[in-house]
Amino acid sequence: IQEEDVETPWGKVQCSLKGNPRGNRPVILTYHDIGLNHQTCFSSLFEHEDMQEITGHFAVCHVTAIGQQEGASMLPTTGFEYPSMDQMSETLPIILKHFGIRTIIGVGVGAGAYILAKFALSHPDLVEGLVLINFNAQAEGWMDWAANKITGWTQTLSDVVITHLFGKEEIQNDHDLIATFRHHVTNNVNQTNLQHFVKSYYGRKDLEIERPVPGGNMNVKTLKCPSLLVVGDSSPAVDAVVSSASTSPSSELYTKAPGKLTEAIKYFVQGMGYMASASMTRLIRSRTSSGNSCSSLDGSRSRSQSARSQAQQGGEPRGRSHTDVSMESASHSLAEPAMPAPGTAQVTC
């Protein structure tokens, strides 16, 4: 594991690279949400036993935003301006060059999802796929801005972060989980640095992503790479997700059921043409053994969705073989709603 601080025009970015980039294979690059870092945001996912099969095929680079690592010193108060979300996305080409990474599959949550999406829009040749979680492509509306401004007068910074990360039901019912995250946000993250990051996120610009319509203008701004968009029914970002034609998971997906997300990522990666010989996850094996009567139906759906996916992506992606695996065949609980962009899968958990 390489732990390095990469120098950028906006400050040093802490990065952790596990494994070595392999030839033409992309590196999985993660970017966390506000109030978190790569350990607190992704540890339960990447430590899950089913995820080990995926990371056995790819190097993984975790990126922590400037000043957000545990134990970080307070950033300068004079002569320093914290980077905007757009500027944070521009630190990524520098990081890729530093580690000799050719392309990535980005995995981002909340603010990190926005940063990775902006990076993919600006540098489509460097991004082979995206897993966007709690993704809000829109700028903060003035009503939301006013509400957050008033909330900021009456709530602590940790309250603002907690209400961003968790839904009302989780805050009211899962007191141990909320207490754990609140302790982390309050005691392990420099509060001044966190405030900078939160301010940048709530000051983000609208990405102006549009869905190309057949027969209409096909030159709209949209993600060019396959994208896996994930949503949870108790997520606090559901409204933003719907209006952005994007999705987000509830925090429950990470803290209580990382296997569901692991399963979705695995089939997404296989659909990109990687890990074609990988075995089924434990979740799929259990469903297969108890639901063989559905196999013929799933098979037909898989073939039809594979054909649609291939057509949307313009044939086989980047010269690799296309794997005939659909998100619907991955799990009976994974749905196939309207897709926001070509090559995009959407999952409800």
Side-chain angles (χ1 to χ4, degrees), residues 216-235:
N217 181 9
M218 300 303 291
N219 296 319
V220 296
K221 185 191 293 186
T222 190
L223 296 171
K224 305 296 184 183
C225 62
S227 301
L228 174 63
L229 308 172
V230 188
V231 65
D233 57 8
S234 62
S235 169

Side-chain angles (χ1 to χ4, degrees), residues 212-330:
V213 178
N217 181 9
M218 300 303 291
N219 296 319
V220 296
K221 185 191 293 186
T222 190
L223 296 171
K224 305 296 184 183
C225 62
S227 301
L228 174 63
L229 308 172
V230 188
V231 65
D233 57 8
S234 62
S235 169
V238 166
D239 290 341
V241 160
V242 172
S243 63
S244 300
S246 306
T247 60
S248 64
S250 64
S251 56
E252 179 182 26
L253 195 59
Y254 277 122
T255 58
K256 296 179 181 176
K260 291 184 180 180
L261 183 56
T262 299
E263 181 181 25
I265 292 174
K266 178 178 175 180
Y267 279 82
F268 172 68
V269 170
Q270 285 185 321
M272 292 175 62
Y274 296 111
M275 297 178 60
S277 61
S279 61
M280 293 186 296
T281 64
R282 291 180 301 105
L283 289 172
I284 294 299
R285 286 196 297 270
S286 65
R287 291 185 182 122
T288 301
S289 62
S290 62
N292 286 331
S293 60
C294 299
S295 60
S296 61
L297 176 60
D298 284 342
S300 63
R301 288 175 175 172
S302 176
R303 288 189 293 274
S304 64
Q305 181 167 335
S306 177
R308 288 195 301 274
S309 176
Q310 207 165 3
Q312 289 166 341
Q313 296 178 24
E316 295 182 356
R318 307 190 181 209
R320 296 190 298 274
S321 61
H322 180 80
T323 304
D324 186 18
V325 177
S326 73
M327 290 310 302
E328 192 162 9
S329 69

